[in-house]
Amino acid sequence: MNKLPQITALFWIMKICATTLGETAGDLLSMTLNVGYAVSSTILIGVFLATLVTQLVSKCYNPLLYWTVILSTSTAGTTMSDYIDRTLKLGYATGSMILITLLLIMLAFWRFSVGSLSVTNVKTPQVEILYWTTILFSNTLGTALGDFLADTSGLGFVGGALLISGLLALVLAAHYFTLFSQVILFWIAFVLTRPFGATFGDILTKSHAKGGLAYGTIGSSIVLVSILGVCILFTTLKQRRLSVARLSNDE
């Protein structure tokens, strides 16, 4: 059985919430709680691996489990990116280029080993591992790109978010009005929603002096957890109704 959700508008809303939460929760652990980037990365990669194994051994799509893994890749990606950019002192631009290269290599390996980058027919452990590894790289890249746009490019938090929003609008237009590959558009949108989440997370957490709303990592994380939780509950109830309907039809 396909263990992944349908790609709908709700999927993208939940993706943006999860990636933004990953940004604020990752910063909460590494900076607010002063755990540090290296230790935070180790902890969150461990959480990612634990949730990933649970996802791999599951037999069907479970909304709570799926979005828990997405969230764990997002939080791990945040601290991994910060470790590369700040602890290793490679900078946002260099870190972004390294991560872009790794992501392209991962996508190329997936394409040539499986024959397709489709996310609507992920039914084997091999393809699912490729799927989640690619997501981890994309979320790590997203943090680096978001930080680059907000801090180094001169656009600021709001300018970075507006730029990414414009690019996402172009992807959406291409989806509806062109014959461009839907698989490629999906991965472009998936990568872009991560820096959007990163810049949006910065807008929520940073001080007014830095162009943010000053909600802090704790307050922002609570708000985002609440929104994502409601969406997961709605998706879970819908999934159960569909399962009951299928059973009734089979009978």
Side-chain angles (χ1 to χ4, degrees), residues 56-67:
L56 291 175
V57 300
S58 67
K59 300 300 182 182
C60 61
Y61 170 54
N62 182 310
L64 177 59
L65 179 57
Y66 176 86
W67 288 106

Side-chain angles (χ1 to χ4, degrees), residues 27-76:
D27 288 345
L28 172 63
L29 183 62
S30 62
M31 293 189 292
T32 305
L33 299 181
N34 201 29
V35 175
Y37 300 126
V39 176
S40 296
S41 296
T42 302
I43 293 172
L44 294 172
I45 289 173
V47 173
F48 162 65
L49 292 175
T51 57
L52 176 60
V53 169
T54 306
Q55 169 70 18
L56 291 175
V57 300
S58 67
K59 300 300 182 182
C60 61
Y61 170 54
N62 182 310
L64 177 59
L65 179 57
Y66 176 86
W67 288 106
T68 299
V69 184
I70 288 287
L71 181 57
S72 69
T73 65
S74 185
T75 51

